[in-house]
Amino acid sequence: MYEIAVIGAGPAGASAALFAAKAGKKTLLIDNDKGMTRRGWYENYYGISEIGGPDLVETGHKQAVKFGAELIAEQAVSIGKSGEGFAIETESGATYEAKHVILATGVLTDLAAKAGVQTKEGTEPRIKTVVAVDAAGKTNVEGIWAAGTVAGVSVHAVITAGDGAKVAVNVISELNGARYVDHDVLKA
């Protein structure tokens, strides 16, 4: 069983998986390769002068995998309670179990709704529906969290990446039973 499964591997999802894996949590990252980030050009992403969406997404995937996240190219089709966590079924019929699930599905809320997660009206232009979350990223279903655009934050990639990191830190903190902090230090 994975400790954390992240569904969606754009900036929010890859950032969440990167933090989770770097914290030593057994992490699964599920990506259907249909995210809107791949269609963008970014000149407003902190630390990068300019980058195309496909390169930004691939860099995020590589970072998450570098720290131990398992990346699978699949479409998640359902999430259901299973023992002490959740069973995530994919389009191919494979099933993955995780204690916590982070939804980072961009503009798509159908998977969340099927899992019993409450949605609400979105506030961003052209984003009609989002997942209802608290400040930590928790949904109404204990153990299911949401980050990024699907959680109602701005569609800007840098903002969704930060939200993914925030939610992952909150999940890690809950798993650890103490506030988790990850600060790298420049090597002398």
Side-chain angles (χ1 to χ4, degrees):
M1 175 182 279
Y2 294 91
E3 289 172 277
I4 301 171
V6 182
I7 302 173
S15 183
L18 184 165
F19 269 80
K22 191 166 182 278
K25 303 304 176 194
K26 187 172 181 186
T27 305
L28 176 65
L29 180 58
I30 301 173
D31 185 36
N32 67 6
D33 198 29
K34 296 178 185 172
M36 63 182 161
T37 302
R38 286 193 177 276
R39 297 186 304 269
W41 176 256
Y42 302 90
E43 294 181 5
N44 61 353
Y45 200 100
Y46 176 79
I48 297 172
S49 62
E50 58 187 38
I51 191 169
D55 289 334
L56 181 62
V57 170
E58 291 307 315
T59 298
H61 291 180
K62 286 177 185 173
Q63 287 176 301
V65 169
K66 170 187 169 186
F67 290 112
E70 182 182 341
L71 173 64
I72 61 164
E74 283 267 23
Q75 172 74 43
V77 294
S78 70
I79 303 168
K81 283 297 280 175
S82 175
E84 293 185 28
F86 299 91
I88 303 160
E89 186 180 342
T90 63
E91 203 168 50
S92 71
T95 301
Y96 302 91
E97 291 192 350
K99 184 169 176 74
H100 291 268
V101 176
I102 300 174
L103 299 169
T105 53
V107 298
L108 304 176
T109 59
D110 54 336
L111 182 63
K114 279 175 61 177
V117 172
Q118 291 177 349
T119 60
K120 64 180 187 176
E121 189 174 319
T123 58
E124 286 287 297
R126 296 181 298 282
I127 308 297
K128 294 179 181 175
T129 308
V130 297
V131 169
V133 296
D134 67 11
K138 289 183 176 186
T139 71
N140 64 299
V141 177
E142 185 68 32
I144 298 182
W145 307 66
T149 302
V150 76
V153 303
S154 171
V155 297
H156 294 89
V158 71
I159 295 172
T160 64
D163 195 56
K166 174 197 83 174
V167 172
V169 166
N170 291 332
V171 176
I172 296 161
S173 297
E174 187 165 303
L175 286 167
N176 290 350
R179 187 71 182 159
Y180 173 76
V181 177
D182 178 9
H183 293 290
D184 293 327
V185 177
L186 193 63
K187 293 179 175 91

